[in-house]
Amino acid sequence: MDATEKRTAVAASGTGAVQEPFVNLRDPAKRLGPDGKPAVSRRAPIWVDVPDEKWNDWRWQLSNRINSLEEIGRVINLTDDEREGLSAPDKFRVDITPYFASLIDPDDPDDPIRLQVIPKGQELRAFTGMMEDSLAEDRHSPVPGLVHRYPDRVLMLVTTQCATYCRYCTRSRIVGDPSQNFNRAEHEAQLDYIRRTPQIRDVLISGGDGLTLAPKLLESVIRGLREIPHVEIVRIGSRVPVFLPQRVDDELCEMLAKYHPIWMNLHFNHPNEITPEVARAADRLNRAGIPLGNQSVLLAGVNDCVHIQRDLVHRLVENRIRPYYIYQCDLVEGAGHFRTPVGKGIEILEGLRGHTSGYAVPMYIVDAPGGGGKIPVMPNYLISYSDHKVVLRNYEGYITTYEEPTTYTPHDATKCRHCRTPRPEPGQEGVTGLLDGKRMWIEPAGFELTHARGNVEAHRLQDASKWVPYGVGAIEGQAGAPFPAIGEGAGTAEGAGGAGTAEEGGSPAAGAQVTGEPARAYGPGEEPRPPEGMPTGSAHGELL
Ligand SMILES: *Cc1c(COP(=O)(O)O)cnc(C)c1O
Ligand code: SF4
């Protein structure tokens, strides 16, 4: 009798009954089909005769992907828009695993899986703001395929290949193109940059999809990373478990588990993608000790619905996959018909936060066009605050106040070991620098005009004479204009003491013109604060 048997026997003797081994029917990875065998998802009729060994072999799935109008037309009933998309000569690559194509309802033109992988004629149309490299990744690449945008982590593109191609892919400029693939020499250059950059503690392997690499090549990349002492965590961003769950076999999981700590972010967009095969793949990865997250993209017609999103996040947490991000659709070529207003994302978050488990609520992210990085966008729960009270509202609209402490001893940096040994990256104070009084404002830098609006003028944020500092006392439209001395020109103390409107000549602009003083630029820490009694304005109308 081993230890487990002994415990079972003791437990059973306590109740006086011999207990059957417990079968957890709630576990999605253990679900059984009508035949009493592990549940399987639907197969399209053209593949019903494929033997199970082949169907369940990821290599078979990859080499039998469908991509032409004829092949896809044998699986689903194509619409005219899809025929136009599939016939276009220069379209983004099409390839769909038989497993994933089988999940499509062949007669539903709005099927959420179909919309993600079958091109439509609409994807060929340009839209306002469209860009080829909307996140300016190429400009942030010190070596090919390595994007270093954040201080302590990098994105490492190890391949341009995926198991199936998403029509809205943010990296469609390189993804799918075998002639732009990364080879061992480039992996080595990427590793070399990471080796020489000790602030990198987190490496995100992506592509394309790293899990489509030949297993030996993938292992050599991960091993190369693990040999770098300052790399703390390795993350893999992959859609393979969605398109090709057969790939998540014991061999892969055992290989990955050798290189812990490894985290993985998957990419599910709709509950229909979470099949019994996916549940077993997620279970294997979880049992290999890999924490799983999910990043989805908010897509019109696919998941722009609170109820779909709620069902998705419930299916995810049930499979021990933590919703991480919902991305606003990028301004990338081909994605125009998938875009939603940002308000839709806010509405979805409103429908999740408080209504369901905190574990099930992702962050909503707008990845800044032009390469500013990820920006979280949240509903407003903070309504107002004063020096002692914060006014908040909850998910039901209930308004409450939180009394601030009357005494608070500020954190003592001189006694704090963490403060005395900060990480070395420069420029990390960011907007919190404003709070620390290091700066009065932050001037946008490196803003380049890459969008396709046909606007050839410098962006106002690049032109100092157009730039309005955004802060206390900033006057709309008056960047750099000095305030007149009290009593000078028309902007008198009396005028300003009234309504201070432009008609009364109470605006500082009028004063500046009268005195003829040249406009002056304000440096960091300086602020065009109006003198006592002068009107203040806000720059909010000028932000865009
Ligand atoms: C998304 C991304 C990361 C990772 O960002 P997290 O918010 O830490 O998940 C890192 N580098 C680049 C270039 C990215 O786009
Ligand atoms: S899996 Fe990712 S990289 Fe590949 S096509 Fe889809 S979005 Fe693009």
Short mmCIF file of all heavy atoms in Angstrom, two decimals, residues 402-443:
data_model
loop_
_atom_site.label_atom_id
_atom_site.label_comp_id
_atom_site.label_asym_id
_atom_site.label_seq_id
_atom_site.Cartn_x
_atom_site.Cartn_y
_atom_site.Cartn_z
N TYR A 402 -14.59 57.47 -0.02
CA TYR A 402 -13.51 56.87 0.78
C TYR A 402 -12.80 58.00 1.48
O TYR A 402 -12.33 58.95 0.83
CB TYR A 402 -12.54 56.11 -0.14
CG TYR A 402 -11.35 55.56 0.60
CD1 TYR A 402 -11.43 54.34 1.28
CD2 TYR A 402 -10.15 56.27 0.64
CE1 TYR A 402 -10.34 53.86 1.99
CE2 TYR A 402 -9.06 55.78 1.34
CZ TYR A 402 -9.16 54.57 2.02
OH TYR A 402 -8.09 54.10 2.72
N GLU A 403 -12.77 57.93 2.81
CA GLU A 403 -12.13 58.99 3.60
C GLU A 403 -10.62 58.74 3.58
O GLU A 403 -10.15 57.66 3.94
CB GLU A 403 -12.67 58.91 5.04
CG GLU A 403 -12.23 60.03 5.95
CD GLU A 403 -12.84 61.38 5.62
OE1 GLU A 403 -14.04 61.44 5.29
OE2 GLU A 403 -12.09 62.38 5.68
N GLU A 404 -9.87 59.73 3.16
CA GLU A 404 -8.41 59.59 3.13
C GLU A 404 -7.84 59.68 4.56
O GLU A 404 -8.47 60.30 5.42
CB GLU A 404 -7.81 60.74 2.31
CG GLU A 404 -8.22 60.72 0.85
CD GLU A 404 -7.26 59.97 -0.03
OE1 GLU A 404 -7.07 58.77 0.21
OE2 GLU A 404 -6.71 60.59 -0.95
N PRO A 405 -6.67 59.10 4.79
CA PRO A 405 -6.10 59.20 6.14
C PRO A 405 -5.71 60.65 6.44
O PRO A 405 -5.32 61.38 5.54
CB PRO A 405 -4.85 58.31 6.06
CG PRO A 405 -4.52 58.23 4.61
CD PRO A 405 -5.81 58.36 3.87
N THR A 406 -5.84 61.05 7.70
CA THR A 406 -5.45 62.42 8.06
C THR A 406 -3.96 62.48 8.35
O THR A 406 -3.35 63.54 8.30
CB THR A 406 -6.23 62.93 9.29
OG1 THR A 406 -6.13 61.92 10.29
CG2 THR A 406 -7.69 63.19 8.95
N THR A 407 -3.39 61.34 8.72
CA THR A 407 -1.94 61.32 8.90
C THR A 407 -1.38 60.22 8.02
O THR A 407 -1.94 59.13 7.93
CB THR A 407 -1.55 60.99 10.36
OG1 THR A 407 -2.16 59.75 10.70
CG2 THR A 407 -1.99 62.08 11.31
N TYR A 408 -0.33 60.54 7.35
CA TYR A 408 0.35 59.54 6.51
C TYR A 408 1.81 59.90 6.51
O TYR A 408 2.18 61.01 6.13
CB TYR A 408 -0.22 59.57 5.08
CG TYR A 408 0.62 58.80 4.08
CD1 TYR A 408 0.77 57.41 4.20
CD2 TYR A 408 1.26 59.44 3.02
CE1 TYR A 408 1.55 56.70 3.29
CE2 TYR A 408 2.04 58.74 2.12
CZ TYR A 408 2.17 57.37 2.26
OH TYR A 408 2.93 56.67 1.36
N THR A 409 2.64 59.00 6.99
CA THR A 409 4.07 59.25 7.00
C THR A 409 4.60 58.80 5.65
O THR A 409 4.52 57.62 5.33
CB THR A 409 4.75 58.42 8.10
OG1 THR A 409 3.99 58.60 9.29
CG2 THR A 409 6.18 58.86 8.30
N PRO A 410 5.09 59.74 4.86
CA PRO A 410 5.54 59.34 3.53
C PRO A 410 6.65 58.29 3.61
O PRO A 410 7.43 58.26 4.57
CB PRO A 410 6.05 60.64 2.91
CG PRO A 410 5.44 61.73 3.71
CD PRO A 410 5.25 61.18 5.09
N HIS A 411 6.68 57.46 2.60
CA HIS A 411 7.69 56.42 2.49
C HIS A 411 9.09 57.04 2.59
O HIS A 411 9.38 58.03 1.94
CB HIS A 411 7.51 55.73 1.14
CG HIS A 411 8.54 54.69 0.86
ND1 HIS A 411 8.58 53.51 1.53
CD2 HIS A 411 9.56 54.69 -0.03
CE1 HIS A 411 9.59 52.80 1.07
NE2 HIS A 411 10.21 53.48 0.13
N ASP A 412 9.93 56.44 3.42
CA ASP A 412 11.26 56.99 3.64
C ASP A 412 12.26 56.27 2.75
O ASP A 412 12.70 55.15 3.04
CB ASP A 412 11.62 56.83 5.12
CG ASP A 412 12.97 57.47 5.44
OD1 ASP A 412 13.67 57.88 4.49
OD2 ASP A 412 13.30 57.55 6.63
N ALA A 413 12.62 56.95 1.66
CA ALA A 413 13.51 56.32 0.67
C ALA A 413 14.89 56.04 1.25
O ALA A 413 15.56 55.10 0.82
CB ALA A 413 13.62 57.23 -0.55
N THR A 414 15.29 56.83 2.26
CA THR A 414 16.64 56.63 2.78
C THR A 414 16.73 55.32 3.57
O THR A 414 17.81 54.76 3.72
CB THR A 414 17.07 57.79 3.71
OG1 THR A 414 16.17 57.82 4.82
CG2 THR A 414 17.04 59.12 2.98
N LYS A 415 15.59 54.84 4.06
CA LYS A 415 15.62 53.60 4.82
C LYS A 415 15.25 52.39 3.97
O LYS A 415 15.20 51.27 4.47
CB LYS A 415 14.63 53.70 5.98
CG LYS A 415 15.07 54.64 7.07
CD LYS A 415 14.20 54.44 8.30
CE LYS A 415 14.49 55.49 9.35
NZ LYS A 415 13.26 55.88 10.05
N CYS A 416 14.90 52.65 2.72
CA CYS A 416 14.36 51.57 1.88
C CYS A 416 15.46 51.01 0.98
O CYS A 416 16.02 51.72 0.15
CB CYS A 416 13.20 52.11 1.06
SG CYS A 416 12.64 50.97 -0.19
N ARG A 417 15.71 49.74 1.15
CA ARG A 417 16.75 49.08 0.35
C ARG A 417 16.41 49.15 -1.14
O ARG A 417 17.28 49.32 -1.99
CB ARG A 417 16.81 47.62 0.81
CG ARG A 417 17.78 46.74 0.07
CD ARG A 417 17.90 45.39 0.76
NE ARG A 417 16.67 44.60 0.70
CZ ARG A 417 16.29 43.87 -0.34
NH1 ARG A 417 17.02 43.84 -1.44
NH2 ARG A 417 15.18 43.18 -0.31
N HIS A 418 15.14 49.04 -1.47
CA HIS A 418 14.73 49.04 -2.89
C HIS A 418 14.93 50.41 -3.51
O HIS A 418 15.31 50.53 -4.67
CB HIS A 418 13.28 48.59 -3.00
CG HIS A 418 13.05 47.23 -2.46
ND1 HIS A 418 13.20 46.09 -3.22
CD2 HIS A 418 12.73 46.80 -1.21
CE1 HIS A 418 12.98 45.03 -2.47
NE2 HIS A 418 12.69 45.42 -1.25
N CYS A 419 14.68 51.47 -2.72
CA CYS A 419 14.89 52.83 -3.25
C CYS A 419 16.38 53.11 -3.43
O CYS A 419 16.77 53.86 -4.32
CB CYS A 419 14.31 53.87 -2.31
SG CYS A 419 12.52 53.88 -2.29
N ARG A 420 17.20 52.56 -2.56
CA ARG A 420 18.63 52.86 -2.64
C ARG A 420 19.31 52.12 -3.79
O ARG A 420 20.38 52.49 -4.22
CB ARG A 420 19.32 52.53 -1.30
CG ARG A 420 18.94 53.52 -0.20
CD ARG A 420 19.96 53.50 0.94
NE ARG A 420 20.25 52.17 1.42
CZ ARG A 420 19.56 51.54 2.39
NH1 ARG A 420 18.53 52.15 2.96
NH2 ARG A 420 19.87 50.33 2.78
N THR A 421 18.68 51.07 -4.29
CA THR A 421 19.27 50.33 -5.41
C THR A 421 18.26 50.25 -6.56
O THR A 421 17.76 49.18 -6.88
CB THR A 421 19.66 48.90 -4.99
OG1 THR A 421 18.51 48.30 -4.38
CG2 THR A 421 20.82 48.88 -4.05
N PRO A 422 17.95 51.40 -7.14
CA PRO A 422 16.96 51.37 -8.23
C PRO A 422 17.55 50.68 -9.46
O PRO A 422 18.77 50.60 -9.61
CB PRO A 422 16.70 52.84 -8.50
CG PRO A 422 17.93 53.54 -8.08
CD PRO A 422 18.53 52.73 -6.96
N ARG A 423 16.67 50.21 -10.33
CA ARG A 423 17.16 49.65 -11.59
C ARG A 423 17.76 50.77 -12.43
O ARG A 423 17.40 51.93 -12.28
CB ARG A 423 16.01 48.95 -12.31
CG ARG A 423 15.62 47.63 -11.63
CD ARG A 423 14.52 46.93 -12.42
NE ARG A 423 14.91 46.74 -13.80
CZ ARG A 423 15.60 45.68 -14.25
NH1 ARG A 423 15.94 44.72 -13.43
NH2 ARG A 423 15.92 45.58 -15.52
N PRO A 424 18.68 50.43 -13.32
CA PRO A 424 19.50 51.46 -13.95
C PRO A 424 18.87 52.19 -15.14
O PRO A 424 19.43 53.17 -15.58
CB PRO A 424 20.71 50.66 -14.44
CG PRO A 424 20.19 49.28 -14.68
CD PRO A 424 19.10 49.07 -13.69
N GLU A 425 17.74 51.74 -15.66
CA GLU A 425 17.28 52.36 -16.90
C GLU A 425 16.97 53.84 -16.70
O GLU A 425 16.27 54.20 -15.76
CB GLU A 425 16.01 51.68 -17.45
CG GLU A 425 16.12 50.20 -17.66
CD GLU A 425 15.82 49.41 -16.41
OE1 GLU A 425 14.91 49.78 -15.67
OE2 GLU A 425 16.51 48.41 -16.18
N PRO A 426 17.46 54.68 -17.59
CA PRO A 426 17.19 56.12 -17.45
C PRO A 426 15.77 56.45 -17.94
O PRO A 426 15.14 55.65 -18.64
CB PRO A 426 18.22 56.75 -18.38
CG PRO A 426 18.49 55.70 -19.41
CD PRO A 426 18.29 54.36 -18.75
N GLY A 427 15.32 57.61 -17.56
CA GLY A 427 14.07 58.14 -18.10
C GLY A 427 12.85 57.38 -17.64
O GLY A 427 11.81 57.38 -18.30
N GLN A 428 12.95 56.72 -16.48
CA GLN A 428 11.84 55.90 -16.06
C GLN A 428 10.81 56.62 -15.21
O GLN A 428 9.83 56.03 -14.81
CB GLN A 428 12.37 54.67 -15.29
CG GLN A 428 12.91 53.63 -16.22
CD GLN A 428 11.86 53.23 -17.22
OE1 GLN A 428 10.85 52.65 -16.86
NE2 GLN A 428 12.06 53.58 -18.48
N GLU A 429 11.07 57.90 -14.89
CA GLU A 429 10.10 58.56 -14.01
C GLU A 429 8.78 58.83 -14.74
O GLU A 429 7.73 58.83 -14.14
CB GLU A 429 10.67 59.82 -13.36
CG GLU A 429 10.91 60.98 -14.30
CD GLU A 429 12.32 60.97 -14.90
OE1 GLU A 429 12.98 59.91 -14.94
OE2 GLU A 429 12.74 62.04 -15.33
N GLY A 430 8.84 58.99 -16.09
CA GLY A 430 7.62 59.15 -16.88
C GLY A 430 6.68 60.17 -16.27
O GLY A 430 7.11 61.19 -15.71
N VAL A 431 5.40 59.89 -16.36
CA VAL A 431 4.42 60.83 -15.85
C VAL A 431 4.52 60.96 -14.34
O VAL A 431 4.20 62.00 -13.77
CB VAL A 431 3.01 60.43 -16.32
CG1 VAL A 431 1.94 61.29 -15.65
CG2 VAL A 431 2.92 60.58 -17.83
N THR A 432 5.01 59.90 -13.66
CA THR A 432 5.14 60.02 -12.20
C THR A 432 6.19 61.08 -11.86
O THR A 432 6.18 61.61 -10.77
CB THR A 432 5.54 58.70 -11.52
OG1 THR A 432 6.72 58.21 -12.14
CG2 THR A 432 4.44 57.67 -11.60
N GLY A 433 7.06 61.42 -12.82
CA GLY A 433 7.98 62.53 -12.62
C GLY A 433 7.23 63.82 -12.33
O GLY A 433 7.70 64.68 -11.59
N LEU A 434 6.04 63.94 -12.92
CA LEU A 434 5.22 65.13 -12.65
C LEU A 434 4.83 65.16 -11.18
O LEU A 434 4.85 66.20 -10.53
CB LEU A 434 3.95 65.10 -13.50
CG LEU A 434 4.11 65.14 -15.02
CD1 LEU A 434 2.75 64.92 -15.67
CD2 LEU A 434 4.69 66.46 -15.46
N LEU A 435 4.47 63.98 -10.66
CA LEU A 435 4.01 63.91 -9.27
C LEU A 435 5.17 64.18 -8.32
O LEU A 435 4.98 64.74 -7.25
CB LEU A 435 3.41 62.53 -8.97
CG LEU A 435 2.22 62.12 -9.83
CD1 LEU A 435 1.81 60.70 -9.52
CD2 LEU A 435 1.06 63.06 -9.60
N ASP A 436 6.35 63.76 -8.72
CA ASP A 436 7.52 63.95 -7.86
C ASP A 436 8.08 65.36 -7.97
O ASP A 436 9.08 65.68 -7.34
CB ASP A 436 8.64 62.98 -8.25
CG ASP A 436 8.27 61.55 -7.94
OD1 ASP A 436 7.28 61.36 -7.20
OD2 ASP A 436 8.94 60.64 -8.44
N GLY A 437 7.49 66.17 -8.86
CA GLY A 437 7.97 67.53 -9.01
C GLY A 437 9.25 67.62 -9.83
O GLY A 437 9.90 68.65 -9.87
N LYS A 438 9.62 66.51 -10.51
CA LYS A 438 10.83 66.57 -11.33
C LYS A 438 10.61 67.44 -12.56
O LYS A 438 11.52 68.03 -13.10
CB LYS A 438 11.23 65.17 -11.77
CG LYS A 438 11.74 64.34 -10.61
CD LYS A 438 12.48 63.12 -11.12
CE LYS A 438 13.06 62.34 -9.96
NZ LYS A 438 12.56 60.99 -9.88
N ARG A 439 9.38 67.42 -13.05
CA ARG A 439 9.06 68.23 -14.21
C ARG A 439 7.66 68.79 -14.03
O ARG A 439 6.87 68.24 -13.28
CB ARG A 439 9.00 67.36 -15.47
CG ARG A 439 10.22 66.56 -15.72
CD ARG A 439 10.03 65.92 -17.07
NE ARG A 439 11.00 64.88 -17.26
CZ ARG A 439 10.93 64.05 -18.29
NH1 ARG A 439 9.94 64.13 -19.14
NH2 ARG A 439 11.83 63.13 -18.45
N MET A 440 7.38 69.84 -14.80
CA MET A 440 6.04 70.38 -14.78
C MET A 440 5.21 69.79 -15.92
O MET A 440 4.02 69.78 -15.90
CB MET A 440 6.05 71.90 -14.92
CG MET A 440 6.73 72.60 -13.75
SD MET A 440 5.96 72.21 -12.19
CE MET A 440 4.47 73.19 -12.31
N TRP A 441 5.87 69.39 -16.96
CA TRP A 441 5.16 68.71 -18.04
C TRP A 441 6.15 67.86 -18.81
O TRP A 441 7.36 68.00 -18.67
CB TRP A 441 4.46 69.70 -18.98
CG TRP A 441 5.38 70.58 -19.77
CD1 TRP A 441 6.11 70.25 -20.87
CD2 TRP A 441 5.65 71.95 -19.50
NE1 TRP A 441 6.82 71.34 -21.30
CE2 TRP A 441 6.56 72.39 -20.48
CE3 TRP A 441 5.20 72.86 -18.54
CZ2 TRP A 441 7.02 73.70 -20.53
CZ3 TRP A 441 5.67 74.15 -18.59
CH2 TRP A 441 6.57 74.57 -19.57
N ILE A 442 5.59 66.98 -19.62
CA ILE A 442 6.45 66.13 -20.44
C ILE A 442 6.15 66.45 -21.89
O ILE A 442 5.01 66.41 -22.33
CB ILE A 442 6.19 64.66 -20.13
CG1 ILE A 442 6.64 64.41 -18.69
CG2 ILE A 442 6.93 63.75 -21.09
CD1 ILE A 442 6.52 63.00 -18.25
N GLU A 443 7.18 66.81 -22.60
CA GLU A 443 7.00 67.17 -23.99
C GLU A 443 7.03 65.90 -24.84
O GLU A 443 7.95 65.10 -24.70
CB GLU A 443 8.16 68.08 -24.41
CG GLU A 443 7.89 68.82 -25.67
CD GLU A 443 8.83 70.01 -25.84
OE1 GLU A 443 9.63 70.28 -24.93
OE2 GLU A 443 8.75 70.63 -26.89
#
